[in-house]
Structure formats: structure tokens, C-alpha cells
Amino acid sequence: AQSVTQLDSQVPVFEEAPVELRCNYSSSVSVYLFWYVQYPNQGLQLLLKYLSGSTLVESINGFEAEFNKSQTSFHLRKPSVHISDTAEYFCAVSDRYNQGGKLIFGQGTELSVKP
Amino acid sequence: ETGVTQSPTHLIKTRGQQVTLRCSSQSGHNTVSWYQQALGQGPQFIFQYYREEENGRGNFPPRFSGLQFPNYSSELNVNALELDDSALYLCASSSTGGGPNTEAFFGQGTRLTVV
């Protein structure tokens, strides 16, 4: 079984400041790792994913996440946030060997960017 | 290319009633997954349908059931509604059996309130 823990429920930051949203996971098998973003009154959108290869993955809007196997972490970072980054962010894992593609989500981190 | 659409967007039901939620998958996708997102929580996997068959189920009671149709659209049915069933219900579609490395595209969700 897998579980995901997002260590911060709310992260307030000022515009143009750096931010890190923390995610730790627990699994007895190898997993794929994902970050999803949910804007108010919308569904989830995939932000980035780690499947294999380089442990550092990037999104098109400046976010990056690094897979750390020894620490079982997949923290999300952005060097300079914008007001438009205000949203709920979810870390998720899926079992590499489960063809069903079931996603296990963390409880979410609310990122609030202030001017 | 049309995205994932869900209907209705909101509804209110009385405890004990039955409800049907609908999802149209993205064009070209043959797999639909359903998730329940309670207020302030991350989404929880209910079940997945692939080629009209259930292909994995989360920890939800049998009163949560589903269907997938030949056009790959799907329904989620909940019988004997309880107050704790109040949540945002998300549908996600993907292709080729929804394997663990396949991107899932989410709809905007149906907000169900049970009173």
C-alpha cells in the first residue's frame, strides 16, 4: 500500500519569493510520482511527473520537483512565484506495477501568493 | 479535442436517496476513473472502468457502483446516500487502460451535498 504526506496544509508567500511545497511518500513497491494543481472551482491539472531517468523534473511554468529515493520525497519548488500560482497543490503516487493507474493523493497544500 | 465533462455541476440530495453522476471522457480515451474529494482533503480513488469493465476499486462500499458505455462515457451511482457522501466527485479519463504512467485528465467535478 502507498501513502502520501504533504507536510504543509497552507503556505503563504509574497509575490516573487521562492517557495517549496513538501511531499513525502511511503510505499513497499516502486512508484511513479506526480504533482497536480487545482485552481478554485476547477478540476485537477497535471503539473509535472517523475517516471524514470533524471530525478529533477520541470514544468512549463517554472515549477520543478526532485525525486529523492533515499528520503522518499518529491518536493515541489519554484524560485519566484506569481499571483497566478495561487491554488491547491496535490502530490500523488501510483504503483508502477498496477496497470489500473490508481492515484494516491496527499491532503493538499494551499499556496497563497500575496502582492 | 474536447475535454472531460461532468454533469451536473452541483446537486443537493436528501439522506437515503440515490444519485447518478455522469462523465464524458476526452476524445480518444477508453478509461475512466472516479475520485471522491471531501472538503479540505485530497481525492480518494473510488474505481476505474476500462472497456466497460471495472478495473480496480478503492475502499468504498458496494453502494458506490458504476457503468461505462460503448462510447466510453461513464456513470457513478450512489445508493442510500449518507451525509458523509457530501463531496466533490471527480472523473478522470486516460487512454490504453490507464496504466500507472498514463496521464489522467480530470473534469471540473460534481459538487454533491447530502442534507
Side-chain angles (χ1 to χ4, degrees):
Chain A
Q2 296 88 41
S3 66
V4 177
T5 302
Q6 292 184 239
L7 297 162
D8 307 291
S9 59
Q10 295 181 318
V11 174
V13 295
F14 287 105
E15 193 173 20
E16 298 183 5
V19 70
E20 179 179 76
L21 307 183
R22 296 179 293 168
C23 171
N24 285 93
Y25 70 93
S26 173
S27 178
S28 56
V29 299
S30 295
V31 296
Y32 295 119
L33 295 149
F34 306 83
W35 275 99
Y36 281 84
V37 59
Q38 186 175 36
Y39 297 101
N41 300 314
Q42 294 190 25
L44 301 173
Q45 299 175 34
L46 180 65
L47 190 60
L48 47 74
K49 60 185 177 183
Y50 171 74
L51 303 181
S52 64
S54 172
T55 57
L56 184 66
V57 291
E58 299 177 350
S59 72
I60 59 173
N61 57 354
F63 283 94
E64 64 178 30
E66 185 159 21
F67 169 52
N68 188 319
K69 187 175 182 179
S70 63
Q71 298 186 3
T72 59
S73 68
F74 191 54
H75 301 333
L76 182 69
R77 292 185 285 262
K78 188 170 186 180
S80 176
V81 294
H82 303 289
I83 297 288
S84 60
D85 293 324
T86 295
E88 189 92 20
Y89 291 79
F90 293 95
C91 181
V93 302
S94 68
D95 179 348
R96 282 178 179 261
Y97 305 107
N98 181 349
Q99 289 303 309
K102 167 185 174 181
L103 290 166
I104 307 296
F105 287 89
Q107 292 196 321
T109 297
E110 182 182 347
L111 174 63
S112 176
V113 182
K114 306 177 186 306
Chain B
E1 183 180 86
T2 57
V4 179
T5 57
Q6 294 186 241
S7 62
T9 55
H10 298 81
L11 76 166
I12 300 174
K13 289 287 189 177
T14 302
R15 189 172 49 182
Q17 285 188 314
Q18 179 265 343
V19 68
T20 297
L21 311 182
R22 294 177 175 83
C23 172
S24 293
S25 59
Q26 186 161 313
S27 177
H29 287 181
N30 56 14
T31 303
V32 172
S33 302
W34 286 92
Y35 291 82
Q36 180 195 66
Q37 186 180 11
L39 198 61
Q41 303 293 318
Q44 290 192 52
F45 177 77
I46 303 175
F47 44 56
Q48 182 184 80
Y49 279 83
Y50 170 57
R51 292 184 177 178
E52 303 178 57
E53 297 285 334
E54 188 176 288
N55 182 41
R57 188 179 182 92
N59 189 25
F60 281 81
R63 59 189 185 85
F64 285 78
S65 63
L67 283 173
Q68 188 178 32
F69 300 99
N71 67 353
Y72 304 127
S73 66
S74 177
E75 287 183 354
L76 164 64
N77 299 289
V78 187
N79 294 321
L81 282 166
E82 301 177 0
L83 296 180
D84 286 348
D85 296 333
S86 296
L88 180 67
Y89 287 84
L90 294 166
C91 168
S93 77
S94 55
S95 61
T96 61
N101 62 345
T102 305
E103 180 174 352
F105 292 83
F106 284 81
Q108 291 190 326
T110 294
R111 174 74 62 188
L112 172 64
T113 302
V114 182
V115 297

